[in-house]
């Protein structure tokens, strides 16, 4: 990690702490702490259990995608690798966009595959996760609309999420449609910039980038050529989202409130839109987004909602970060050896 990355992480961490502090002040820190201290420990453990099921499901999803690229990982190793990927996402700004390069390097080291193959694998997991999340948002909001009026806040959240996802899908589609143009022109442009720096060989840089881009797009084609594996991956993605929704529902029960399971179905993927911010894994922003969504849709007091969200995030953010940090360290040491 260079100096600029460290500064970015420090600034993002300070911003995350500031957002959480403001959230605590607004909802009442004393009431949140009191609610958390009175939480049912068995239900808190169940929340973490569902979060662990989510982590297992999406690690199997990564294993399935990598299998279509002829990268065979044992189930335990795939769990450790995906946990390491989640760790990378949780400690770098802009969520998946910041952590994917680190995750790709980890996959490459552990499996002995090319870096581009690891990048295609983890990027495919992120892209495939969009399909079930959008479906859950529309199904959940649609059902919720039959039982209650949709507030302006929820309408804005859905509109922002749809617009952001549409922009990402459009960017991916354009990149794929004009992939040959990208392979032909991008390396020369970067090589030209590198040539202005005396210590770089422009021709070597251009050739290296062109080779990596060709490998990258070839690997994407290989993933798309395995419809059975794609269907299995989407199914595992859906199960992961459902496990997260169950974890949030149980977290509410842990702090003494029953909520309709429909609300977490759309609240979980909607709140994660806040992860696309220059905060480490969306920390602070995602918690605030959850509270903003769940207070009007559940009718639960803001302090109790915040307590439930913190229990939930303990399972889906802090636990994977701890597991992933340890696994990334262990796998990295084993690879070096």
């Amino acid at each position: 990690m260079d100096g600029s990355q460290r500064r970015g992480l420090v600034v993002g961490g300070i911003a995350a702490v500031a957002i959480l502090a403001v959230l605590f002040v607004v909802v009442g820190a004393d009431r949140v702490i009191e609610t958390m201290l009175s939480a049912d420990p068995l239900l808190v453990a169940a929340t973490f259990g569902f979060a662990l099921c989510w982590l297992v499901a999406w690690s199997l999803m990564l294993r399935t995608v990598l299998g279509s690229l002829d990268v065979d990982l044992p189930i335990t190793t795939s769990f450790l690798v995906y946990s390491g990927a989640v760790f990378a996402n949780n400690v770098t700004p802009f969520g998946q966009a910041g952590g994917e390069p680190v995750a790709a390097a980890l996959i490459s080291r552990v499996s002995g595959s090319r870096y581009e193959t690891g990048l295609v694998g983890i990027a495919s997991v992120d892209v495939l996760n969009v399909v079930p999340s959008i479906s859950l948002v529309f199904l959940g909001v649609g059902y919720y609309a039959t039982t209650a009026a949709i507030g302006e806040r929820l309408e804005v959240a859905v509109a922002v999420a749809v617009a952001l996802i549409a922009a990402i899908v459009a960017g991916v589609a354009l990149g794929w449609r004009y992939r040959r143009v990208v392979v032909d022109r991008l390396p020369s442009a970067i090589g030209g910039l590198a040539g202005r720096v005396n210590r770089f060989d422009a021709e070597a840089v251009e050739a290296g980038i062109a080779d990596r881009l060709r490998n990258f797009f070839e690997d994407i084609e290989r993933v798309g050529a395995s419809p059975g594996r794609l269907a299995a991956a989407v199914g595992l993605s859906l199960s992961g989202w459902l496990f997260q929704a169950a974890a949030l529902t149980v977290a509410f029960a842990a702090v003494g409130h029953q909520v309709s399971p429909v609300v977490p179905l759309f609240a979980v993927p909607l709140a994660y839109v806040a992860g696309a911010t220059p905060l480490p894994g969306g920390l602070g922003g995602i918690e605030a987004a959850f509270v903003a969504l769940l207070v009007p849709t559940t009718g639960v007091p803001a302090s109790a909602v915040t307590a439930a969200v913190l229990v939930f995030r303990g399972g889906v953010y802090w636990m994977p970060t701890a597991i992933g940090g340890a696994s990334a360290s262990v796998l990295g040491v084993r690879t070096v050896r």
Side-chain angles (χ1 to χ4, degrees):
M1 182 180 291
D2 59 26
S4 62
Q5 290 175 320
R6 282 194 293 269
R7 285 193 296 272
L9 181 58
V10 170
V11 172
I14 293 173
V17 171
I19 293 173
L20 288 173
V22 170
L23 178 62
F24 268 74
V25 170
V26 171
V27 302
D30 55 341
R31 293 191 297 274
V32 173
I33 294 173
E34 182 181 354
T35 302
M36 292 188 67
L37 290 176
S38 63
D40 187 328
L42 289 179
L43 292 177
V44 171
T47 300
F48 277 68
F50 278 119
L52 186 61
C53 290
W54 150 71
L55 196 60
V56 171
W58 283 9
S59 68
L60 292 175
M61 181 186 177
L62 174 63
R63 182 173 184 266
T64 301
V65 171
L66 290 175
S68 66
L69 296 170
D70 298 325
V71 177
D72 187 21
L73 290 181
I75 292 176
T76 302
T77 303
S78 65
F79 174 78
L80 295 175
V81 168
Y82 187 73
S83 299
V86 174
F87 166 77
N89 291 335
N90 286 351
V91 299
T92 54
F94 299 105
Q96 279 79 5
E100 279 185 348
V102 179
L106 181 60
I107 294 170
S108 177
R109 287 181 179 181
V110 171
S111 64
S113 60
R114 297 178 310 204
Y115 174 82
E116 304 93 291
T117 301
L119 185 59
V120 168
I122 192 64
S124 297
V125 168
D126 293 336
V127 172
L128 290 174
N129 277 332
V130 171
V131 178
S133 68
I134 286 293
S135 302
L136 290 176
V137 167
F138 283 120
L139 287 174
V141 172
Y143 183 84
Y144 178 80
T146 65
T147 60
I150 296 180
E152 181 180 353
R153 188 178 297 173
L154 182 55
E155 290 179 352
V156 171
V158 172
V160 170
V162 170
L164 179 60
I165 292 172
I168 294 173
V169 171
V172 171
L174 287 173
W176 179 252
R177 179 180 177 85
Y178 297 104
R179 60 189 182 278
R180 300 189 188 283
V181 176
V182 172
V183 173
D184 290 339
R185 298 184 180 179
L186 185 60
S188 60
I190 297 178
L193 292 175
R196 298 178 183 177
V197 181
N198 293 332
R199 59 177 178 166
F200 288 113
D201 183 340
E203 292 184 359
V205 170
E206 181 177 344
I209 293 175
D211 185 57
R212 285 184 176 272
L213 284 174
R214 279 193 294 269
N215 291 335
F216 180 78
F217 285 119
E218 286 174 1
D219 285 337
I220 292 178
E221 289 178 350
R222 291 166 65 192
V223 171
S226 304
R229 290 182 182 271
L230 283 178
V234 171
L236 288 167
S237 173
L238 176 60
S239 65
W241 285 116
L242 293 176
F243 280 130
Q244 286 203 54
L248 181 56
T249 303
V250 175
F252 269 100
V255 298
H257 292 274
Q258 302 295 325
V259 298
S260 169
V262 173
V263 175
L265 280 180
F266 64 80
V268 169
L270 277 180
Y272 278 128
V273 173
T277 57
L279 299 169
L283 182 64
I286 290 178
E287 284 81 359
F290 266 117
V291 174
L293 281 171
L294 293 170
V295 169
T297 54
T298 62
V300 175
S303 57
V305 169
T306 304
V309 168
L310 291 177
V311 171
F312 168 74
R313 289 285 284 168
V316 301
Y317 180 88
W318 293 108
M319 181 180 68
T321 299
I323 295 174
S327 65
S329 176
V330 170
L331 291 173
V333 170
R334 286 181 178 177
T335 301
V336 171
R337 287 178 179 174

